[in-house]
């Protein structure tokens, strides 16, 4: 009688066999992705065993790019006096919170002056100040007070004193929002839903004001880190746009979805590379290295639209003038949708405490 239970050695052998098989498919997929349209054309032609399925590859790269993008704007714990943060969160009075905050901000100001223009130092100091101010403001609110500017340069990025804040003229709300005195109230929502909405608005205001003192590069990286999530959401929309643009080619929607998935796989790889180049540019101090990294970033940004144009031409095989026309129309529509989705995802993240 055949025993279905295998010994441990056979299990290890099967594991490595599966791993090397996946590794081979991964290598072939990435290799053929270098040439615009090759993977999509071969996959649609039935040569599927040699490649990783587009949906699986897209999901994995979406997660990987998301974490790379998050790491690119991550505030390092070492850049902040952790004991000072703990002192803020454990303070028992508003005055004590403000004393600790002012002391820590003063230390950062002195470090900023001493650092001068040293590459890679300034962004971490700005991020540290943002985190300190955010922790202090949250603790003040917890203690029943209202955040107000401190003495040690706290005006930059500090939440305002009094009712000054976000303006809302929607859902029946008028004037400047304030959670206590002038909250947003949706009449047909239950109380807990309105409480949730105002907590989100408060988090958004606090985080946006905390980022006021951040550099333009920090803002750009923060927004761009939301791009992988936006790309993930828009893949089926892009496939639908392809279906409409190539309606008379008699291709099924799922075929356009394969093209959309492999297009976005390429975009995610390029976006990850852009994140890495951006981080390296902030860490190195060599002028030559910074120049090379800048050229690399420019090459990435130029290759992305050119690659997609070549891919669209090779997959659908239409005349250049028609391909270019459809590419420009689709590209404009999709770029506007992607920019809007990226900003919305970024704002949604900013509503978290």
């Amino acid at each position: 009688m055949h025993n279905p239970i295998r010994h441990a050695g056979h299990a290890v052998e099967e594991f490595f066999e599966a791993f090397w098989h996946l590794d081979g498919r991964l290598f072939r997929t990435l290799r053929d992705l270098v040439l615009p349209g090759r993977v999509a054309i071969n996959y649609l032609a039935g040569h599927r065993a040699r490649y990783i399925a587009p949906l699986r590859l897209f999901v994995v790269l979406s997660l990987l790019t998301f974490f790379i993008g998050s790491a690119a704007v991550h505030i390092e714990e070492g850049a902040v006096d952790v004991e000072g943060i703990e002192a803020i969160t454990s303070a028992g009075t508003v005055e004590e919170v403000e004393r600790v905050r002012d002391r820590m901000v003063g230390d950062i100001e002195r470090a900023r002056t001493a650092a001068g223009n040293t590459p890679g130092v300034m962004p971490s100091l700005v991020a540290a100040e943002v985190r300190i101010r955010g922790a202090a403001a949250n603790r003040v609110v917890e203690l029943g007070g209202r955040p107000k500017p401190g003495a040690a340069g706290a005006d930059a990025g500090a939440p305002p004193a009094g009712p000054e804040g976000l303006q809302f003229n929607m859902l029946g709300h008028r004037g400047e929002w304030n959670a206590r005195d002038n909250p947003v109230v949706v009449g047909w929502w239950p109380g807990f839903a309105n409480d949730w909405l105002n907590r989100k608005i408060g988090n958004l205001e606090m985080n946006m004001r905390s980022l006021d003192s951040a550099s333009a590069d920090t803002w750009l990286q923060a927004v761009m880190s939301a791009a992988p999530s936006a790309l993930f959401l828009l893949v089926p929309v892009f496939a639908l746009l392809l279906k409409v643009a190539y309606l008379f080619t008699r291709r099924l929607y799922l075929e356009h979805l394969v093209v959309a998935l492999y297009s976005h796989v390429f975009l995610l790889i390029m976006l990850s590379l852009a994140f890495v180049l951006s981080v390296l540019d902030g860490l190195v101090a060599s002028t030559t290295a910074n120049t090379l990294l800048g050229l690399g970033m420019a090459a990435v940004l130029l290759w992305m639209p050119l690659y997609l144009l070549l891919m669209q031409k090779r997959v659908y095989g239409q005349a250049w003038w028609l391909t270019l026309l459809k590419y420009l129309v689709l590209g404009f529509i999709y770029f506007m949708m992607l920019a809007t989705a990226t900003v919305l995802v970024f704002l949604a993240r900013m509503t978290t405490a």
Side-chain angles (χ1 to χ4, degrees):
M1 182 176 179
H2 175 70
N3 185 3
I5 301 178
R6 306 298 180 89
H7 56 81
H10 188 270
V12 173
E13 179 183 347
E14 285 189 340
F15 170 79
F16 280 102
E17 181 181 352
F19 174 79
W20 289 118
H21 181 60
L22 175 62
D23 181 71
R25 286 189 295 144
L26 178 61
F27 171 77
R28 285 191 297 272
T29 304
L30 295 179
R31 180 197 64 192
D32 288 357
L33 272 173
V34 174
L35 295 177
R38 170 179 283 188
V39 178
I41 292 172
N42 289 341
Y43 192 88
L44 292 174
H47 307 295
R48 301 181 180 182
R50 59 187 302 179
Y51 298 125
I52 298 178
L55 181 58
R56 179 185 302 177
L57 183 61
F58 173 72
V59 170
V60 172
L61 281 175
S62 294
L63 295 174
L64 179 62
T65 309
F66 171 81
F67 285 116
I68 292 176
S70 299
V73 294
H74 179 64
I75 300 174
E76 294 292 341
E77 294 289 336
V80 184
D81 182 355
V82 178
E83 294 182 358
I85 292 290
E86 293 177 352
I88 287 176
T89 56
S90 61
T93 65
V94 173
E95 291 75 14
E96 184 180 355
V97 171
E98 293 176 346
R99 282 198 303 270
V100 176
R101 179 200 64 193
D102 293 345
R103 174 179 60 80
M104 296 178 68
V105 170
D107 291 341
I108 289 176
E109 290 291 344
R110 288 186 287 274
R112 185 179 296 173
T113 301
N117 295 322
T118 304
V121 175
M122 194 62 64
S124 64
L125 293 176
V126 171
E129 184 175 351
V130 168
R131 184 177 175 187
I132 291 167
R133 293 191 186 284
N138 288 335
R139 184 55 181 164
V140 167
V141 172
E142 289 175 0
L143 294 172
R146 292 184 179 179
K148 52 187 176 182
D155 291 338
E164 294 87 353
L166 298 176
Q167 282 275 0
F168 287 96
N169 290 304
M170 61 181 72
L171 302 176
H173 186 273
R174 292 292 181 270
E176 294 178 343
W177 173 86
N178 182 273
R180 180 181 302 172
D181 302 323
N182 193 23
V184 173
V185 177
V186 183
W188 48 274
W189 279 17
F192 72 88
N194 281 309
D195 292 341
W196 172 86
L197 176 62
N198 282 277
R199 283 198 303 271
K200 291 297 183 180
I201 294 174
N203 292 336
L204 175 63
E205 182 187 36
M206 191 73 65
N207 289 329
M208 293 294 286
R209 291 189 178 277
S210 295
L211 277 175
D212 279 349
S213 58
S215 65
D217 287 342
T218 301
W219 270 99
L220 179 60
Q221 286 185 340
V223 174
M224 288 303 296
S225 67
S229 300
L231 287 171
F232 185 86
L233 295 173
L234 289 180
V235 166
V237 179
F238 184 65
L240 182 60
L241 291 175
L242 289 174
K243 175 66 175 177
V244 173
Y246 293 94
L247 187 61
F248 300 106
T249 60
R250 297 185 179 180
R251 287 183 180 270
L252 301 175
Y253 174 79
L254 290 180
E255 295 180 88
H256 297 294
L257 184 60
V258 169
V259 177
L261 285 169
Y262 279 126
S263 299
H264 283 68
V265 163
F266 164 77
L267 290 176
L268 290 171
I269 293 174
M270 292 294 101
L271 192 59
S272 298
L273 182 57
F275 283 137
V276 172
L277 291 175
S278 177
V279 171
L280 291 177
D281 186 58
L283 295 178
V284 299
S286 169
T287 303
T288 302
N290 287 130
T291 302
L292 293 175
L293 289 170
L295 292 174
M297 179 68 77
V300 168
L301 297 178
L302 288 174
W303 179 232
M304 290 170 70
L306 181 59
Y307 180 100
L308 295 176
L309 173 60
L310 294 174
M311 180 175 182
Q312 190 171 322
K313 165 63 178 172
R314 292 174 179 174
V315 170
Y316 295 103
Q318 294 187 340
W320 267 111
W321 70 269
L322 186 57
T323 298
L324 184 60
L325 177 62
K326 292 182 177 181
Y327 174 80
L328 292 176
V329 174
L330 287 177
F332 175 77
I333 296 173
Y334 188 69
F335 176 79
M336 298 304 296
M337 295 175 63
L338 179 59
T340 302
T342 299
V343 171
L344 291 176
V345 172
F346 167 73
L347 291 176
R349 290 184 184 177
M350 295 294 284
T351 62
T352 59

